[in-house]
Amino acid sequence: MTEKFYVTSPIYYVNAVPHIGSAYPTIAADVLARFYRGAGVPTFFLTGTDEHGSKIEQAARAAGQTPEDFTREVAAKFSFAWDQLGIAPDDFIRTTEERHIIAVTRFLEILKDSGKLYEGEYEGLYCVGHEAFINESDLDGKGLCPDHKTKPEKLKEKNWFFKLSDYGKVLKEKILTGSLEIEPDSRKNEVLSFIDSGLEDIAISRPNVKWGIRLPWDEKQTVYVWVDALFNYISALGFPNDEKYKKFWPADVHLIGKDIIRFHCVIWPALLEAAGISWPRKVFAHGFFTIDGEKISKSLGNAIDPNNLVDKYGADAVRYFLLREIPFGQDGDFSIDKLEARYEGDLANGLGNLFSRLTTLIAQNLEGELPDVVVSPRDFDGVGRLIENLKFHEALAKIWEEIAWANKYIDETKPWETAKKNEKLFKEVISSLVALLYEIAKNLAPFMPETAEKIRSGLSAEKIAKAEPLFPRLERTHA
Ligand code: ME8
């Protein structure tokens, strides 16, 4: 196994409050971090908020607040939501923090000295929703951005440019040799063909955006928000001198959505290369999900607040559902019906029922005393490897096979009958089930930390009592 593990989620724009889309990669990063921590590997998990640029400035204005107050309030909402979901990052970076601004300023000076920046003029269409220039050919019939349904601004500006066009060759080489891994493969191919189509230099500063980090050598300009944002991955570690930076950089995996792959697989490595800094080892792009078949959008108002889900189903059920239902890396669909079906089937009737049957048998027949625990009758080979490879849904499927096996084993051995007839056999059955349940809890811990803890503490009590249901019956939302 690796000697250290550094995982990041995207940092989220604070123009929107947390929703299940932003919760998704953050939960996945938390699962990886918990898994590596559990394996004794020094681990660092970073998340945070992206707070500069026109989009945020406009959102603050619309809310009638200063950008400072606005960003602070929304960042706190992210932090709160992640906490509710059982997400435990080692750090939460906000791009408006002093430590970030200092690191970005330092990095820009290095970049300037590299000779890879030059001043030029840019004319193009800027989409504030994307925080990026877009091509005329990308617009819909009405001349609007197809994703944001807004008219892009025509800009003609003096900017500082970065010679991205110099980096096609090294990017291709490192991607093809796997020195920068991009997963899934389809995303890797997408990046490679984007590079093949020819890289253009990019503007890395904006003269007319006030809400941003000033260029140290040209105070009239602020850093392009995407460049500012990408640096979070090293500023949070205390680039360039902190021990943490030396210990944890390069990132072992950046988890991102497929929408922001070019920034992470092309611009970010090229900027690092120019500054002589090592590249992240892997970028994994997950898919997008719809809600009841519809795109998540402000105008539809269908964004789901994870806090409401946690209140109703508990954090672990939400974590389980998102990672079990949608194969990580593919697109999928979210619906309350599907969530409730898995809650009742997999969680209440599967795992919950197993735990309650077992504790009841021990409480009723052994006066709550655990027989000697043996080795688990089933092994969980491969679950760890599946997690390392980000195949979360397969890891969970494998754990649930064992849960199903255990419930069937109880049905077949009928321990409530042997309890009276054959105490030795009864104890053997119970011992192996307890051992198996410990194994289940151990493997489940990165995904469902609260549930794993309830199982462990329920089974390690001095006098084992019939357990409270792990997943109480739901009042159905739909008939
Ligand atoms: O892009 N399905 O931030 P953002 C799955 N600040 N994942 C979804 C989703 C959906 N429907 N909607 C959003 C930004 N996401 C930048 C990132 S990183 C240096 C800067 C997830 O608030 C997905 O991971 O728009 C996507 O990449 C991320 O939220 C974008 O969040």
Side-chain angles (χ1 to χ4, degrees), residues 9-16 19-26 49-51 55 78 129 225-226 228-233 255-260 263-264 286-291 295-296:
S9 79
I11 53 169
Y12 304 101
Y13 284 127
V14 290
N15 68 317
H19 60 90
I20 49 161
S22 41
Y24 184 50
T26 329
T49 39
D50 191 351
E51 305 189 357
K55 175 149 81 177
F78 275 92
V225 60
W226 256 105
D228 172 343
L230 288 164
F231 287 133
N232 90 87
Y233 301 131
L255 293 184
I256 58 163
K258 63 177 186 179
D259 56 329
I260 53 179
F263 296 102
H264 284 83
H286 66 75
F288 262 53
F289 45 83
T290 46
I291 294 181
K295 208 171 144 176
I296 303 178

Side-chain angles (χ1 to χ4, degrees), residues 109-211:
E109 282 162 350
I110 299 173
L111 215 54
K112 178 93 185 339
D113 290 343
S114 74
K116 295 290 182 186
L117 299 185
Y118 63 93
E119 229 177 339
E121 196 157 86
Y122 197 88
E123 197 174 348
L125 297 171
Y126 194 84
C127 170
V128 175
H130 274 108
E131 287 286 18
F133 285 100
I134 58 174
N135 295 327
E136 189 111 39
S137 57
D138 293 331
L139 304 180
D140 69 10
K142 295 184 196 130
L144 306 179
C145 161
D147 293 333
H148 298 95
K149 304 287 174 222
T150 49
K151 202 176 162 66
E153 294 172 40
K154 237 198 183 100
L155 293 182
K156 188 174 176 190
E157 309 181 323
K158 261 214 154 77
N159 311 89
W160 283 87
F161 281 80
F162 170 60
K163 283 192 191 163
L164 184 64
S165 56
D166 281 357
Y167 293 90
K169 195 162 160 258
V170 62
L171 279 163
K172 245 188 114 166
E173 182 191 302
K174 292 213 187 186
I175 294 168
L176 286 172
T177 57
S179 129
L180 170 64
E181 290 178 60
I182 300 173
E183 287 179 18
D185 261 356
S186 54
R187 300 295 158 210
K188 174 160 88 182
N189 295 334
E190 183 186 319
V191 172
L192 286 170
S193 53
F194 177 67
I195 296 169
D196 280 340
S197 72
L199 297 179
E200 284 175 26
D201 293 348
I202 56 158
I204 59 124
S205 71
R206 305 286 315 279
N208 297 313
V209 176
K210 281 209 297 297
W211 183 241

Side-chain angles (χ1 to χ4, degrees), residues 48 69 93 110 149 174 206 263 346 352 358 370 419 430 448 458:
D69 286 346
I93 182 111
I110 299 173
K149 304 287 174 222
K174 292 213 187 186
R206 305 286 315 279
F263 296 102
D346 302 359
L358 184 59
L370 207 60
I430 296 297
M448 306 178 75

Side-chain angles (χ1 to χ4, degrees), residues 368-389:
E369 269 187 51
L370 207 60
D372 290 341
V373 177
V374 294
V375 184
S376 164
R378 310 278 294 174
D379 69 51
F380 286 73
D381 271 0
V383 171
R385 185 50 52 84
L386 289 168
I387 298 175
E388 283 173 36
N389 291 327

